[in-house]
């Protein structure tokens, strides 16, 4: 169901003034996201007129912006991505593992997004692959699908990586499939220690090569001694790696992935109210339990927009990555070998792919098939409601 309030409504109402007030402080990527969200599914992006083949009902459909940060454009992208991933699923249990950066390191990531987010991916994946390959733990090569999220439920800066991992892997000599225990994949304390060491070692290397930038109150960290002192407390902290219980089966993995892979900082469904000055929305307070976890927050509209734009990723940055058995260069070969070792039958080829999928919703009046009868350009409007003769002529053609 469409919510009465959308992020686009907030951007259209308050975006122009926000851009004016923050001139020179917004990146080109952030400006492009604001424009895309504001114009999504409006006459600014052109569109077409659809008519029902059966009853003649018609409607105007505007084009979507397809921006990966737009709350309205992720559904179709997620469905396409999941259809491609379905063939990679194995008939084993799957685990959900989360690697989170401490607040002190997240503050460094804020001004060094490309470098630190990439380091988060590399350190987390190497940690998983290393511990899994250790004969004391699993002794196998595993597969990983990793998704970067940079937000908490209240849209604050909270970078972390979600990983979906099959419960087992191929033995290092390739001879057999080694299954994990039913409710246990790898020890989280061991993962946390190695993740902390790998990440901080490489973060210091980035600093030594002069690749990190520091601004404002963090400017003193440009000095190496100050940076080492800053990290000393982080080295003593326990870095949390969270492993959730395994999914009920491969089908549940797809359902879960559809909620995580293409999620943005806030969905339209969480918005409650907008009165031109304040935005009210639902969020989860993970410090609470049970029904008290669901809370309501109200932010000034400028603060809401600021928090949303915190999570605009740098251009070209890949927020979904695959490692181990699922790495792109060897994925098909590895999946085929895993299926062979598991005595699993590969999924049949989808013959429906021979026919293009019609993604247009059915007719709201009779459920019939909608066809395009007119296309109009950007900032234009259709000529008007099609008459019955026009509709029948287009249907016959």
């Amino acid at each position: 169901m469409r919510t009465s309030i959308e992020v686009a409504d907030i951007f259209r109402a308050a975006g122009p003034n926000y851009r004016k007030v923050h001139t020179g402080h917004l990146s080109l990527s952030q400006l492009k996201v604001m424009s895309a969200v504001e114009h999504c599914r409006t006459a600014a992006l052109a569109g077409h007129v659809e008519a029902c083949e059966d009853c003649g009902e018609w409607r105007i459909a505007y084009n979507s912006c397809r921006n990966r940060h737009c709350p309205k454009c992720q559904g179709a992208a997620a469905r396409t991505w999941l259809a491609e991933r379905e063939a990679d699923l194995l008939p084993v249990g799957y685990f959900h593992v989360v690697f989170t950066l401490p607040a002190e390191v997240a503050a460094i990531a804020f001004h060094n997004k490309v470098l630190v987010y990439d380091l988060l991916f590399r350190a987390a994946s190497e940690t998983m692959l290393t511990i899994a390959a250790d004969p004391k733990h699993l002794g196998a090569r595993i597969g990983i699908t990793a998704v970067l999220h940079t937000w908490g439920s209240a849209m604050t800066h909270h970078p972390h990586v979600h990983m979906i991992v099959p419960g087992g892997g191929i033995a290092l000599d390739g001879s057999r499939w080694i299954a994990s225990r039913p409710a246990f994949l790898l020890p989280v304390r061991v993962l946390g220690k190695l993740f902390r060491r790998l990440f901080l070692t490489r973060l210091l290397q980035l600093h030594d090569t002069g690749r990190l930038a520091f601004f404002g109150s963090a400017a003193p960290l440009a000095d190496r001694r100050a940076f080492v002192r800053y990290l000393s407390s982080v080295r003593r902290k326990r870095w949390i790696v969270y492993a959730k219980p395994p999914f009920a089966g491969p089908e549940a993995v797809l359902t879960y992935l559809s909620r995580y892979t293409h999620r943005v900082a806030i969905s339209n469904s969480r918005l409650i109210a907008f009165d031109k000055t304040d935005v009210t929305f639902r969020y989860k307070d993970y410090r609470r339990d049970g029904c008290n976890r669901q809370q309501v927050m109200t932010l000034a509209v400028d603060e809401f927009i600021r928090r949303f734009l915190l999570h605009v990723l740098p251009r070209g940055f890949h927020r979904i990555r695959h490692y181990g058995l699922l790495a792109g260069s060897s994925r098909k070969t590895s999946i085929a070998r895993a299926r062979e070792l598991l005595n699993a039958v590969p999924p049949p080829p989808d013959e429906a792919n021979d026919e293009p999928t019609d993604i247009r919703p059915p007719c709201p009046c009779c459920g019939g098939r909608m066809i395009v009868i007119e296309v109009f350009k950007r900032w234009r409007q259709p000529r008007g409601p099609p008459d019955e003769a026009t509709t029948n002529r287009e249907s016959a053609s």
Side-chain angles (χ1 to χ4, degrees):
M1 178 182 294
R2 183 188 185 278
T3 58
S4 58
I5 308 167
E6 295 183 349
V7 172
D9 299 324
I10 299 169
F11 274 30
R12 292 184 194 117
N17 184 66
Y18 188 88
R19 284 188 285 265
K20 181 179 179 180
V21 171
H22 296 86
T23 299
H25 297 282
L26 296 175
S27 69
L28 180 60
S29 295
Q30 290 173 325
L31 291 171
K32 285 184 175 180
V33 168
M34 291 187 71
S35 177
V37 172
E38 290 170 10
H39 293 146
C40 185
R41 300 185 191 182
T42 68
L45 298 183
H48 58 270
V49 179
E50 301 172 350
C52 178
E53 290 183 309
D54 299 325
C55 70
E57 178 78 11
W58 72 282
R59 65 186 173 210
I60 299 173
Y62 295 112
N63 295 333
S64 62
C65 67
R66 297 187 180 182
N67 190 287
R68 61 175 171 169
H69 300 93
C70 176
K72 288 194 292 188
C73 289
Q74 299 312 300
R79 287 190 294 273
T80 300
W81 186 86
L82 287 171
E84 296 171 351
R85 300 277 79 79
E86 188 171 8
D88 297 341
L89 286 177
L90 298 172
V92 298
Y94 277 75
F95 290 81
H96 176 200
V97 183
V98 185
F99 287 80
T100 303
L101 292 180
E104 297 88 344
V105 178
I108 299 172
F110 187 81
H111 293 294
N112 300 273
K113 291 183 177 180
V114 172
L115 291 173
V116 179
Y117 291 169
D118 184 68
L119 177 55
L120 170 57
F121 268 119
R122 289 190 290 112
S125 60
E126 186 174 332
T127 295
M128 289 292 293
L129 294 172
T130 300
I131 300 302
D134 189 335
K136 293 188 297 184
H137 299 293
L138 190 62
R141 185 165 176 257
I142 61 173
I144 301 169
T145 294
V147 183
L148 173 69
H149 283 185
T150 63
W151 56 85
S153 188
M155 294 198 298
T156 51
H157 188 234
H158 180 63
H160 55 287
V161 165
H162 295 267
M163 291 184 170
I164 307 299
V165 186
I170 298 177
L172 301 182
D173 61 3
S175 62
R176 60 193 178 96
W177 176 267
I178 300 177
S180 66
R181 282 184 269 171
F184 179 84
L185 180 62
L186 297 169
V188 292
R189 285 184 177 269
V190 175
L191 292 172
K193 289 180 180 179
L194 180 57
F195 175 54
R196 178 183 61 192
R197 178 168 64 82
L198 290 176
F199 189 96
L200 292 180
T201 298
R202 292 170 185 176
L203 186 66
L204 188 58
Q205 291 173 354
L206 290 175
H207 188 282
D208 289 342
T209 55
R211 299 176 65 189
L212 297 180
F214 301 96
F215 304 95
S217 60
L221 295 181
D223 177 73
R224 191 180 193 279
R225 290 185 179 180
F227 189 69
V228 171
R229 285 196 301 270
Y230 180 80
L231 294 183
S232 62
S233 62
V234 186
R235 292 183 185 279
R236 294 192 296 268
K237 291 179 63 174
R238 179 187 171 192
W239 286 34
I240 302 298
V241 177
Y242 179 60
K244 291 187 176 182
F247 296 98
E251 297 78 11
V253 176
L254 283 181
T255 303
Y256 183 84
L257 280 175
S258 67
R259 300 201 311 267
Y260 266 81
T261 53
H262 292 73
R263 182 178 289 184
V264 297
I266 188 169
S267 63
N268 290 326
S269 62
R270 289 172 54 198
L271 299 176
I272 298 174
F274 172 51
D275 62 2
K276 308 303 180 185
T277 58
D278 297 311
V279 181
T280 302
F281 61 93
R282 290 187 295 273
Y283 76 101
K284 288 182 181 179
D285 185 347
Y286 289 97
R287 295 169 296 183
R288 301 170 182 259
D289 295 322
C291 59
N292 291 327
R293 177 166 287 186
Q294 290 287 344
Q295 298 290 311
V296 173
M297 176 178 292
T298 299
L299 296 175
V301 64
D302 277 15
E303 174 61 12
F304 177 89
I305 294 176
R306 186 193 73 84
R307 292 194 187 188
F308 187 94
L309 295 179
L310 283 179
H311 310 292
V312 172
L313 293 174
R315 181 181 178 184
F317 189 90
H318 296 282
R319 62 185 296 263
I320 305 175
R321 304 187 184 186
H322 308 278
Y323 301 93
L325 300 180
L326 301 179
S329 59
S330 59
R331 185 183 76 251
K332 289 185 178 180
T333 302
S334 298
I335 293 297
R337 178 57 177 162
R339 289 187 178 280
E340 180 183 350
L341 295 173
L342 288 165
N343 295 319
V345 178
D350 189 357
E351 297 179 357
N353 288 338
D354 296 337
E355 293 289 334
T357 302
D358 188 353
I359 61 173
R360 287 188 294 271
C363 173
C365 179
C366 68
R369 189 169 76 95
M370 303 293 283
I371 61 171
V372 176
I373 62 172
E374 181 187 348
V375 176
F376 53 92
K377 297 180 180 180
R378 293 168 57 118
W379 297 109
R380 300 291 180 87
Q381 293 290 344
R383 292 189 298 270
D387 55 35
E388 185 176 352
T390 302
T391 302
N392 292 337
R393 185 166 59 251
E394 295 288 347
S395 299
S397 62

